[in-house]
Amino acid sequence: MTATESRLEHLYADFAEAHLSPLWTQLGDLMPAAPTSQAVPHVWKWSALYPLAELAGDLVPVGRGGERRAIALANPGLGGLPFATPTLWAAIQYLGPDETAPEHRHSQNAFRFVVDGEGVWTVVDGDPVAMRRGDLLLTAGWQFHGHHNPSGRPMAWIDGLDIPFVHYTDTGFFEFGPAAVTDRTTPPTSRSERLWAHPGLSPLVRHHDTMTSPLAAYRWEHTDAALRAQLDLQDEGHPGALTPGHAGVRYSNPATGGDVLPTIRAEFHRVRAGIQTTPRRDVGSCVYQVFNGTGTFDLGETQHPVAKGDLVVVPSWTPWRVSADDELDLFSFSDAPIVERLGLNRGLAVQGAQLP
Ligand code: 1HN
């Protein structure tokens, strides 16, 4: 070893001792030419998830402390962390007959999406919100919420939260509420819908929070009708669908037209039988759940057949597309509001999205 090499070795040892780290050895890792996510494309099959949630229902009580019988998707690329992507948390939650998930609130924003079943009410800041097949239900950060199941049948749904983002930014607070939900009535329509779910009409009430939708429930009848209309209009020769055979809607805040939550975007897509979507790659990560139908997700180099209930993670900058075998209905959520508000968006359709 030359004298210089020996002095360099000491320099690196001194850096480590002093908790310092030289950029020149790490630039490629810290600043790749394009995003290289640690998260990997992955599919969780509903046929595997649901029986495990059912088993947890038999064996694990739900109550104060544990709070929720929710089983999170742990992306195989994220070293065992209970995170679906670097920003998004996703889980299957299961509530048995006559069970209650106690009230609490947290900074993390949350939603539920129901792939099947009904019979649970989620009580959001005292407003009982029925949960039914195809509905998107919101719980914005710091709203008290608990769930109860008076239906006599178990129910499962998916939860999506910005837990990883709040974790990495050290911005989370949490508070317990009552162990029993405050309002156990079971109205078919929440107070938030009675105020806010009239198309094109905003009530003349105070609503100062512009980052969070005041509407707690987006009902399947409306989503389904909007998608059907897009495809019908296309058939009639009018502009409507996104691309031929592919209809899409974004769930929006009726007060602003913006995203439903400050950190999470939610969408629903319908792809006709035999149609393949335009390949894309986007900055930021996304999770899909198959609501109905069968098809194949191409994620980078890999192909994944999917069926009802399956959950698919598309990491940042992964080229992907979907092909529908029969008509394919897809719910999706992403961290796009974070990416867009911070000016980091570089979404690309077609160009750059090379797929085999
Ligand atoms: C939560 O409150 C729910 O309300 C679901 O259903 C998952 C994960 C971590 C912390 C709070 C819910 C959660 C959660």
Side-chain angles (χ1 to χ4, degrees):
M1 191 186 289
T2 66
T4 304
E5 279 168 351
S6 157
R7 288 176 67 204
L8 252 184
E9 202 168 279
H10 278 105
L11 178 64
Y12 286 122
D14 290 347
F15 283 158
E17 179 92 358
H19 304 288
L20 296 170
S21 187
L23 173 64
W24 57 85
T25 62
Q26 300 157 7
L27 186 68
D29 290 339
L30 289 176
M31 294 193 188
T36 52
S37 188
Q38 295 284 108
V40 295
H42 195 77
V43 177
W44 288 261
K45 304 296 289 178
W46 193 249
S47 59
L49 284 174
Y50 188 83
L52 291 171
E54 217 172 12
L55 202 53
D58 281 345
L59 296 172
V60 184
V62 63
R64 183 90 298 161
E67 300 296 289
R68 300 293 184 260
R69 191 188 289 109
I71 307 153
L73 309 183
N75 189 292
L78 296 178
L81 287 169
F83 300 163
T85 82
T87 49
L88 299 168
W89 193 93
I92 177 172
Q93 183 168 162
Y94 186 93
L95 201 61
D98 304 314
E99 284 189 323
T100 298
E103 287 196 8
H104 64 212
R105 62 179 173 179
H106 38 71
S107 312
Q108 289 85 353
N109 293 280
F111 72 80
R112 339 262 157 226
F113 179 75
V114 183
V115 72
D116 218 349
E118 59 181 16
V120 168
W121 271 256
T122 180
V123 183
V124 180
D125 268 346
D127 187 12
V129 184
M131 296 174 65
R132 294 183 288 258
R133 180 180 168 275
D135 296 346
L136 172 72
L137 304 315
L138 302 182
T139 310
W142 215 239
Q143 290 183 312
F144 273 112
H145 57 286
H147 322 307
H148 73 117
N149 182 356
S151 77
R153 284 183 311 280
M155 184 178 167
W157 61 88
I158 64 159
D159 296 310
L161 291 91
D162 51 12
I163 290 175
F165 180 75
V166 171
H167 173 77
Y168 288 121
T169 51
D170 292 329
T171 46
F173 294 83
F174 179 94
E175 196 174 282
F176 290 120
V181 295
T182 44
D183 186 336
R184 302 184 76 85
T185 60
T186 55
T189 310
S190 63
R191 295 196 290 275
S192 86
E193 291 165 271
R194 292 164 63 195
L195 258 186
W196 285 100
H198 307 285
L201 298 168
S202 294
L204 298 179
V205 296
R206 280 166 194 271
H207 180 71
H208 295 306
D209 174 3
T210 56
M211 291 221 283
T212 293
S213 172
L215 182 59
Y218 292 73
R219 299 298 177 191
W220 172 241
E221 302 79 73
H222 302 141
T223 311
D224 184 39
L227 295 161
R228 185 59 56 210
Q230 284 187 19
L231 293 172
D232 285 349
L233 283 164
Q234 180 181 72
D235 288 344
E236 295 162 24
H238 299 288
L242 215 50
T243 54
H246 178 188
V249 290
R250 180 175 302 166
Y251 295 93
S252 65
N253 177 337
T256 64
D259 282 298
V260 287
L261 293 168
T263 50
I264 300 176
R265 171 168 298 167
E267 296 182 351
F268 203 104
H269 293 258
R270 176 167 290 166
V271 186
R272 276 189 166 157
I275 295 289
Q276 186 169 72
T277 61
T278 309
R280 314 189 38 92
R281 67 195 319 189
D282 290 283
V283 179
S285 52
C286 190
V287 181
Y288 283 80
Q289 185 177 34
V290 178
F291 180 67
N292 228 338
T294 55
T296 301
F297 270 81
D298 295 343
L299 302 167
E301 303 291 300
T302 54
Q303 302 200 320
H304 306 263
V306 292
K308 179 177 169 173
D310 294 355
L311 287 143
V312 182
V313 161
V314 183
S316 186
W317 213 235
T318 305
W320 73 279
R321 73 181 161 211
V322 62
S323 316
D325 293 343
D326 39 23
E327 187 171 84
L328 191 60
D329 273 355
L330 300 167
F331 170 76
S332 75
F333 63 102
S334 75
D335 57 11
I338 301 175
V339 174
E340 290 181 6
R341 201 168 298 112
L342 301 183
L344 296 167
N345 188 29
R346 294 220 195 173
L348 280 184
V350 200
Q351 299 90 347
Q354 296 301 330
L355 285 159

